[in-house]
């Protein structure tokens, strides 16, 4: 049986160069970067080299990069840190309805602590209308957080336009969760015009346990993790040197390869979307048809229950997902699918296929062959389908 | 030249078994533990195995262990999470004057957000008097956080006694920062009687980027990092599987070896303390003479500037520290030395030597030989010393 991994969005295999670069820092170079003796020298230098590589990937300065242990931590730092630090200036936050839960729930926590949150809707493709953001802005808005791309439906937002609207209409800081885009498509913090941007290494063949928040100079933000002087006092805790080194290498590789990676993935994505939606009845693309992540295919399969679909796919050697991995075991309807107007019954049949470096046209075609019988088999068990 | 590493408190070399256990999860077992297909199975199982090993080390249940990315994160989660979640019941927090900065500064952040903080003093050995904690308790106290042992002066607190006082005199939760003790001396959450306890893997030959918070069942706490359903919804972000696996192995090894490790270190510690304080004038032990961490030697060397001392030691092949590594580059007087009544001039000559697995009596004696000429040389440059 063929083994097809179509869940790069949930986890990436690390690049071999990434692992090799990490190993010395798990072994002989174990020192603490803050130590005032030679055991600290190589680790300290390695962390700063990685910072430069991550900065280069998003066209930032290295002193604007703050390492975290995940994209979720970077998002929480951005939302809570900016809201709390600027609380005397205002207590209003704007987010989109389809943000990752690490933004949605962080905003909700701020709400519990006395802040007000406006949730901007999206259209049926998952696009935020910059005019809706403009309309949400208030005198006391201190933060607007709109993601760069959504990992469940693949839609890429017009972040530069939204950032401009925020800048023109308020004194709010603009944050974008770019966890799904950095390393996958070109990302330039200056072109986007953002004050804060989150990224995660495990989205571009870097190690788990790595993330970073870009914080533009002069942005007022409170630490999420207080303590020592690491990360210029903005994120305490002994630096995870091996992981940071791996993130740096992954960033450097991504910077060199991003165009090539897109060129590989877009045709595979489009072929898979076309075959699924044309060859099987009642299969509908979710998200935007063209403004979407290069390797991202998301559909809803009517009259099907997603978990059973994943199980049968797994038996055919295919690893896939039914949505955000962070919520896959929460067993409730995706807030993203709800926001784009998919009714709960249809949302049950959500299927997300994320392609990556090892994906091939043969795998796409294998999928397109094995999937229709699975759909057919499950639909035979569905009373709703029989009624059609 | 001999190479002597006396800075285990700042960074530990990883056990070879720890690194070997991590490697597969950096390579083929890259899946996301939340995935509903077979790539998630081994990582998910590995995380739960590690959780059981960490639980066993501190005599907890595995569902009371929540992984974090550092001891500092665990401390921030405990302090901020408990304070914020229980804010309707009260807004008073009690800490000791010598807590790690990740507790001290987290409490200070809560102060900025409207909480009141009482800082309990310590005696000249750095010991907290349980009666002082009792006196600090109020109707609206929701959290008391007193560390198990201090990494700058080595003093081990009577945590069980303090926890009892807190339980008898209030409805507050009791947290202990046990980052310096877990894996180094026996730690039993039930004997200590705590509701929350922080630990960090890099303190006992585990990887950087690992920590955990023990949260006793029924403890009300708000997440620090909101988002997905990882860690039972209490700490979002994709699990750092390789690091967690390494933490688990380190915990298992520590559980088996802790008595042996103590038996090795205590005589080395005592020999080094005796030689330093008896063979050199004006060298004073800081912290408690017997209630102290097994491998921990801390002194103040009068008429000496600490950074120059570290530099000359480094030239003699000795890696040492002048205090908490988290603050070593902050260039301000240690709040811990201030709290035990060491005046700033004397605190400048702080020296912290932390011994570990590879330390030997030959290294101790080497240190005792090379150190006096360094002291002598630096004192010759000190006008204060010449005046004596």
């Amino acid at each position: 049986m063929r083994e097809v991994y179509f869940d790069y969005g949930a986890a990436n295999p690390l690049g071999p160069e990434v692992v090799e670069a990490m190993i010395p820092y798990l072994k002989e170079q174990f020192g603490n970067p803050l130590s005032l003796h030679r055991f600290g020298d190589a680790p300290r230098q390695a962390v700063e080299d990685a910072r430069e590589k991550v900065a280069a990937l998003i066209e930032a300065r290295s002193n604007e990069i703050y390492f975290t242990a995940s994209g979720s931590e970077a998002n929480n730092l951005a939302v809570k840190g900016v809201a709390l630090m600027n609380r005397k200036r205002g207590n209003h936050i704007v987010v989109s309805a389809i943000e990752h839960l690490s933004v949605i729930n962080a905003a909700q926590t701020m709400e519990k602590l006395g802040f007000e949150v406006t949730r901007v809707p999206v259209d049926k493709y998952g696009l935020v209308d910059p005019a809706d953001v403009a309309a949400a802005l208030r005198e006391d808005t201190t933060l607007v957080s709109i993601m760069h791309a959504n990992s469940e439906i693949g839609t890429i937002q017009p972040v530069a336009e939204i950032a401009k609207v925020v800048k023109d209409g308020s004194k709010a800081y603009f944050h974008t969760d770019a966890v799904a885009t950095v390393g996958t498509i070109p990302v330039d913090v200056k072109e986007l015009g953002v004050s804060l941007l989150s990224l995660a290494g495990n989205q571009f063949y870097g190690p788990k346990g790595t993330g970073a928040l870009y914080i533009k100079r002069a942005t007022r933000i409170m630490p999420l993790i207080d303590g020592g002087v690491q990360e210029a006092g903005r994120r305490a805790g002994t630096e995870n040197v091996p992981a940071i080194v791996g993130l740096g290498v992954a960033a450097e590789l991504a910077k060199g390869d991003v165009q090539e990676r897109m060129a590989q993935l877009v045709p595979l994505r489009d072929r898979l979307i076309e075959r699924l939606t044309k060859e099987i009845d009642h299969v509908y693309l979710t998200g935007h048809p063209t403004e979407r992540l290069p390797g991202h295919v998301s559909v809803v399969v009517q009259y099907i229950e997603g978990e059973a679909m994943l199980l049968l796919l797994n038996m055919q050697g295919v690893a896939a997902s039914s949505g955000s991995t962070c919520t896959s075991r929460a067993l409730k309807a995706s807030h993203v699918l709800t926001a784009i107007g998919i009714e709960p019954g249809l949302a049950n049949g959500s299927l997300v296929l994320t392609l990556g470096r090892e994906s091939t046209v043969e795998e796409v075609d294998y999928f397109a062959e094995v999937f229709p019988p699975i759909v057919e088999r499950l639909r035979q068990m569905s009373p709703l389908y029989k009624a059609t």
Side-chain angles (χ1 to χ4, degrees), chain A:
Chain A
M1 190 179 65
R2 196 184 267 274
E3 192 160 86
V4 176
Y5 187 75
F6 277 175
D7 202 10
Y8 282 82
N12 287 184
L14 272 68
E17 310 91 328
V18 172
V19 179
E20 287 317 305
M22 292 171 72
I23 301 283
Y25 297 92
L26 289 169
K27 294 185 172 174
E28 60 278 13
Q29 294 295 354
F30 66 87
N32 187 317
L34 286 181
S35 289
L36 293 164
H37 50 68
R38 70 200 174 290
F39 288 87
D41 294 342
R44 183 167 54 251
Q45 190 58 51
V47 168
E48 295 317 312
D49 285 351
R51 201 183 307 280
E52 283 176 21
K53 288 171 182 165
V54 172
L57 179 61
I58 59 170
E59 309 292 341
R61 294 189 192 88
S62 65
N63 62 7
E64 294 170 320
I65 301 297
Y66 297 83
F67 291 121
T68 66
S70 65
S72 290
E73 186 192 332
N75 281 339
N76 274 262
L77 172 55
V79 173
K80 297 175 179 177
V82 169
L84 290 174
M85 191 68 173
N86 298 279
R87 69 195 180 283
K88 284 171 185 161
R89 190 158 67 72
N91 72 347
H92 181 237
I93 301 168
V94 177
V95 300
S96 89
I98 62 164
E99 295 300 303
H100 187 260
L101 285 180
S102 54
V103 168
I104 293 264
N105 292 355
Q108 197 174 25
T109 292
M110 292 296 96
E111 217 167 21
K112 286 180 196 158
L113 298 179
F115 288 76
E116 280 184 75
V117 180
T118 299
R119 293 165 184 83
V120 174
V122 294
D123 70 11
K124 66 175 177 174
Y125 297 118
L127 283 173
V128 171
D129 184 340
D132 287 340
V133 175
L137 295 171
R138 305 189 332 203
E139 188 64 35
D140 61 346
T141 309
T142 55
L143 177 71
V144 177
S145 182
I146 309 284
M147 70 198 328
H148 197 191
N150 185 285
S151 62
E152 275 184 72
I153 57 172
T155 303
I156 300 172
Q157 302 293 341
V159 164
E161 274 182 74
I162 299 168
K164 190 171 182 314
V165 154
V166 172
K167 194 176 177 183
D168 292 348
S170 75
K171 289 172 194 152
Y173 291 111
F174 184 72
H175 166 250
T176 193
D177 166 7
V179 166
T181 54
V182 170
T184 297
I185 63 173
V187 172
D188 179 327
V189 291
K190 287 191 290 287
E191 278 178 18
L192 293 177
V194 298
S195 292
L196 305 109
L197 179 145
S198 302
L199 63 91
N202 62 337
Q203 291 292 309
F204 51 95
Y205 312 106
K208 293 183 175 69
T210 60
L213 184 64
Y214 159 78
I215 307 176
K216 192 178 173 179
R217 208 169 35 178
T219 300
R220 286 172 48 81
I221 186 166
M222 185 181 276
L224 187 68
I225 302 176
D226 287 302
V229 299
Q230 295 92 353
E231 302 300 308
R234 279 182 161 166
R235 198 272 187 178
T238 300
E239 297 91 336
N240 187 352
V241 180
I244 289 171
V245 166
L247 171 62
V249 173
E252 186 172 41
L253 293 170
K255 185 160 176 71
D257 295 348
V258 69
Q259 294 295 346
E260 191 184 321
R261 290 179 190 178
M262 290 170 69
Q264 172 218 348
L265 290 173
V266 169
L268 295 179
R269 173 194 80 187
D270 291 344
R271 181 184 183 101
L272 186 51
I273 289 172
E274 178 157 322
R275 292 203 62 179
L276 290 181
T277 54
K278 292 214 172 140
E279 296 177 14
I280 314 175
D281 286 342
H282 310 297
V283 170
Y284 310 103
L285 182 69
T286 59
H288 200 280
T290 56
E291 293 297 311
R292 67 185 298 129
L293 291 166
H296 194 285
V297 175
S298 57
V299 294
V300 281
V301 186
Q302 205 168 7
Y303 312 116
I304 291 275
E305 201 282 303
E307 201 164 326
M309 182 163 59
L310 294 187
L311 191 73
L312 294 183
L313 279 170
N314 190 34
M315 289 170 66
Q316 292 292 333
V318 179
S321 166
S322 60
S324 165
T325 308
C326 291
T327 54
S328 58
R329 288 172 181 270
L331 300 175
K332 59 179 188 179
S334 153
H335 67 286
V336 176
L337 296 183
T338 303
I340 61 172
I342 308 260
E343 52 98 1
L346 191 50
N348 277 345
S350 170
L351 177 67
V352 179
L353 305 169
T354 42
L355 283 56
R357 189 149 66 182
E358 309 286 325
S359 302
T360 61
V361 68
E362 288 74 23
E363 289 184 345
V364 165
D365 289 342
Y366 176 77
F367 187 90
E369 296 306 317
V370 300
F371 190 54
I374 289 174
V375 171
E376 186 58 27
R377 182 172 157 194
L378 290 171
R379 280 181 177 163
Q380 290 309 327
M381 306 188 305
S382 159
L384 285 171
Y385 182 66
K386 287 180 186 161
T388 60

